[in-house]
Amino acid sequence: MQSEVLKEADSKQPTFQVVQVTRENTPVLANWPATGWHGHFHWPKAGSISDGTVIRTGDKVTVTIWDSQENSLLTSPGEKFTRLADMEVSADGTIFLPYVNEVNVRGLTPASARSRIQANLEPIVPSAQVQLSVVSGEGSAVDAAGGLAQPGSYPMPSRNYKILALISDAGGIPPTLRNPRVRLLRGTTTYQISADQLFESGSRNILLQPRDTVVVEEDDRSFVALGATGNEDLIYFPKDELNALQALSLMGGLSDLRADPKGVLVLREYRSKDLRADAFGPNMQQVVFSFDLTSADGLFAARNFMINPDDIVLATESPVTSAQTIFGLIGSVLGLSGQVAATAG
C-alpha cells in the first residue's frame, strides 16, 4: 500500500524524498536533471558539416583541355581537345599533367582545381581552356552496419550523398524495429537520433562523409512496471517521450479490484551531483513521486510528468481491497461476507 511505501518519509531522518506531483509543480519538475540517459539526442547540424565538394585522395579526376591552335602540344592533328580521363588523386594529393608535371588538387573544389590547372597550362598553351569533372573514389564509401534491410558498404555516388539516401539504398528500416534509433559513427564521435525525428525534418538529413558508419538499433530505454496493474514487467519506450498516463496504459492500466488510484508512485534515483537545497532539483538521491488520479489536477499532472529510463512505476494496493480480502476470509466462516461487501460499497 502507499502508506507502507511512504511511511519512512514521516521519520525524522528519511532516506528518500517524497514529492506530490501537481499541475503547479510539473513545470519545475520537468527541468530537474535527466536520469537513465542524457535527456536528449545528439545530432550534427547540417550547417556545421562540410558541403562535401572538395577533392580527396582516391577520387577520379577527368580533365578536358580545349585548344584551337594548330600544331598544339596537347591535341592531335585535326582535334580541338584532348581528354585525360580517370586520373586518380595520389596519396600526396596530386594528378599528373603532360608538360606541367604534378598538380596538387586535393582539398580544392572542382572549380578551384580547374582554375589551378589552367593557370599551370598558360605558360605552355596560353589559349587552352580547361574542363574538369570529379568522381568519388573507392575510399569515398560509407557503411550501413546494421538494423537496415541490406547492410553493407556503399560507394558515395557524389559528394551530396545524404543519410536518408543511404538508408533508402540499404533497403530502409524494417517496420518491426521498436522506436528505431539511427546512430552515426564519424571518427571517434558517435551521434544518434530517433528515426521519427530524422524523418520529421529535412534539416536533419545531413551529408555523409567518407568512412561514416550508420547503425540502426531498437530503443533500449525501459522502465519497470510493478503493482496492481495488468502487466508487471520491464517495458521498453515505444517512442522518444513517455508521460505517466501513457506508462500506465502500457502497464495494462490500473486493476479495478486491486489498485489505489490515489497511490500511483514513480521511484527514481538521481546522481549525488544533481542534489540541490531548493525546489529546482532533488534534495535526496532517491525520490518517490506520488500521483492522485482521482482528481482532475492529478490527471493533468500525470499527463505532463515524463517518465525517465530506469524509473519504477508502482501502482499500490487499495486499503479497501486489503480489508475486503481479510474480512472476506473471516466472513466466509462467520457468514459476514455480505455485510462486509455492503459496508465497503
Side-chain angles (χ1 to χ4, degrees), residues 9-47:
D10 296 326
S11 67
K12 294 181 179 180
Q13 294 182 330
T15 60
F16 60 86
Q17 179 182 0
V18 177
V19 178
Q20 180 69 38
V21 182
T22 64
R23 282 184 296 172
E24 183 179 358
N25 64 8
T26 46
V28 176
L29 296 176
N31 291 317
W32 281 25
T35 59
W37 69 311
H38 48 68
H40 54 86
F41 296 112
H42 294 286
W43 194 246
K45 295 180 180 180

Side-chain angles (χ1 to χ4, degrees), residues 11-340:
S11 67
K12 294 181 179 180
Q13 294 182 330
T15 60
F16 60 86
Q17 179 182 0
V18 177
V19 178
Q20 180 69 38
V21 182
T22 64
R23 282 184 296 172
E24 183 179 358
N25 64 8
T26 46
V28 176
L29 296 176
N31 291 317
W32 281 25
T35 59
W37 69 311
H38 48 68
H40 54 86
F41 296 112
H42 294 286
W43 194 246
K45 295 180 180 180
S48 65
I49 292 181
S50 169
D51 62 6
T53 59
V54 298
I55 298 172
R56 298 184 175 94
T57 296
D59 287 350
K60 300 294 181 64
V61 176
T62 295
V63 177
T64 303
I65 304 173
W66 294 79
D67 186 10
S68 59
Q69 286 187 343
E70 298 292 337
N71 301 319
S72 172
L73 292 174
L74 297 176
T75 61
S76 301
E79 298 288 341
K80 298 298 183 183
F81 69 90
T82 185
R83 176 174 288 112
L84 306 173
D86 294 335
M87 296 182 291
E88 184 172 333
V89 179
S90 65
D92 62 0
T94 63
I95 57 174
F96 175 79
L97 292 178
Y99 305 105
V100 175
N101 208 345
E102 306 290 341
V103 178
N104 194 315
V105 295
R106 183 173 60 193
L108 301 179
T109 64
S112 297
R114 185 200 67 79
S115 298
R116 177 172 291 184
I117 291 170
Q118 184 154 322
N120 278 269
L121 284 172
E122 282 183 358
I124 303 166
V125 189
S127 61
Q129 297 292 317
V130 175
Q131 289 179 312
L132 182 143
S133 62
V134 182
V135 176
S136 299
E138 294 181 358
S140 295
V142 292
D143 295 324
L148 295 164
Q150 299 170 12
S153 181
Y154 289 82
M156 297 176 66
S158 72
R159 296 303 190 203
N160 294 317
Y161 198 43
K162 296 186 177 183
I163 190 166
L164 290 184
L166 171 64
I167 291 174
S168 176
D169 291 344
I173 300 174
T176 54
L177 286 184
R178 178 193 63 251
N179 191 25
R181 298 165 75 175
V182 180
R183 293 186 178 179
L184 171 66
L185 283 63
R186 176 171 291 164
T188 59
T189 304
T190 299
Y191 303 95
Q192 62 180 326
I193 192 173
S194 69
D196 287 344
Q197 288 188 10
L198 177 60
F199 298 149
E200 185 179 80
S201 173
S203 65
R204 301 185 179 107
N205 186 22
I206 59 171
L207 289 166
L208 294 171
Q209 296 181 5
R211 299 182 181 85
D212 278 353
T213 299
V214 175
V215 183
V216 180
E217 296 179 332
E218 287 188 321
D219 192 346
D220 60 357
R221 298 173 303 147
S222 64
F223 69 94
V224 176
L226 293 176
T229 64
N231 183 22
E232 289 188 302
D233 202 354
L234 183 71
I235 298 179
Y236 289 95
F237 279 57
K239 58 180 186 176
D240 292 344
E241 294 185 339
L242 194 67
N243 65 42
L245 286 182
Q246 291 166 335
L248 288 173
S249 176
L250 293 172
M251 295 165 63
L254 298 178
S255 172
D256 292 338
L257 300 178
R258 296 171 51 209
D260 178 8
K262 293 185 178 182
V264 175
L265 309 177
V266 174
L267 285 65
R268 180 177 298 169
E269 189 155 355
Y270 290 91
R271 299 169 299 181
S272 58
K273 68 177 184 179
D274 293 330
L275 302 186
R276 298 180 57 131
D278 54 28
F280 296 98
N283 306 143
M284 308 182 75
Q285 282 189 257
Q286 295 176 324
V287 180
V288 177
F289 299 96
S290 177
F291 299 86
D292 178 0
L293 300 186
T294 63
S295 68
D297 183 84
L299 289 169
F300 280 117
R303 189 182 69 175
N304 294 321
F305 182 88
M306 295 299 147
I307 300 299
N308 286 352
D310 301 332
D311 279 354
I312 297 174
V313 182
L314 172 63
T316 61
E317 297 277 352
S318 169
V320 173
T321 302
S322 301
Q324 286 178 330
T325 302
I326 295 171
F327 288 125
L329 291 173
I330 299 173
S332 65
V333 178
L334 302 180
L336 300 177
S337 297
Q339 182 180 350
V340 171

